[in-house]
Amino acid sequence: MAVEAEVLKELRRLRACMPEVTGVLAASADGLVLARDMPDVEPEGLAALTAAALGIGQRMTDLAGGGGFRELLVRGAGGYIATYAAGPTAVLTLVADDRVNVGRLHLEGRRGGSRIADLLTGRFPADRPLLADRPAPAPAPAPATPRGPMLGALPIRIPPQSRREY
């Protein structure tokens, strides 16, 4: 399967797992659309503006000594536009309405950006499931005798002078 199809599959996964996300776009750092799933927004214009914002974000992090660009969040009256680095040559942009949980938006956006970066660089096999798609590991078996933290691990002696009778 082509990389573009896998990137589009990731964009659709993002929209499916967060109903408040109304559009997603993967673009190159120079503003070219790689893949999109956004019905109500002109993707070419958003990709070009994302590239401009990316340049400003990179310059700001350089001047402030904040390291390389990771993400940018813009809040408008009707919602959010979040842009995440997707490797050195691409970005992921999510458009969400104002009811979105911003913490979850960041979690899914960072995860999606990382997956897209891996897809674009060939480091991530397309058939390998995401961490979130894997079954949860089996819980560890309970200890044979219930103990609190460190109880029973060390002998406890209370000196006679510190004992009090109530």
Side-chain angles (χ1 to χ4, degrees):
M1 198 178 261
V3 172
E4 293 83 10
E6 285 301 315
V7 171
L8 183 58
K9 185 176 168 184
E10 175 62 18
L11 298 183
R12 289 185 175 146
R13 184 200 68 81
L14 283 165
R15 289 224 28 221
C17 78
M18 293 190 66
E20 301 86 6
V21 172
T22 58
V24 289
L25 169 79
S28 66
D30 56 352
L32 299 175
V33 176
L34 300 174
R36 63 183 171 88
D37 185 6
M38 50 179 28
D40 299 331
V41 178
E42 179 192 339
E44 290 79 16
L46 185 59
L49 288 171
T50 298
L54 174 64
I56 292 170
Q58 286 174 329
R59 185 72 178 131
M60 288 172 66
T61 57
D62 286 345
L63 284 174
F69 174 81
R70 294 284 186 248
E71 59 197 48
L72 175 68
L73 181 69
V74 176
R75 182 177 182 201
Y80 297 87
I81 301 168
T83 299
Y84 302 91
T89 61
V91 292
L92 169 66
T93 298
L94 305 174
V95 178
D97 64 32
D98 60 348
R99 298 171 299 147
V100 73
N101 177 322
V102 177
R104 178 134 188 255
L105 181 72
H106 284 317
L107 177 71
E108 295 295 340
R110 291 169 186 154
R111 185 179 293 158
S114 177
R115 175 149 164 97
I116 290 169
D118 288 344
L119 287 167
L120 293 175
T121 59
R123 293 180 301 191
F124 199 96
D127 57 351
R128 189 174 118 198
L130 284 170
L131 181 63
D133 297 338
R134 295 180 187 158
T145 57
R147 297 181 180 175
M150 298 295 290
L151 290 180
L154 300 172
I156 299 175
R157 297 186 71 189
I158 301 173
Q161 68 271 16
S162 64
R163 291 185 199 160
R164 293 191 181 172
E165 306 245 349
Y166 293 98

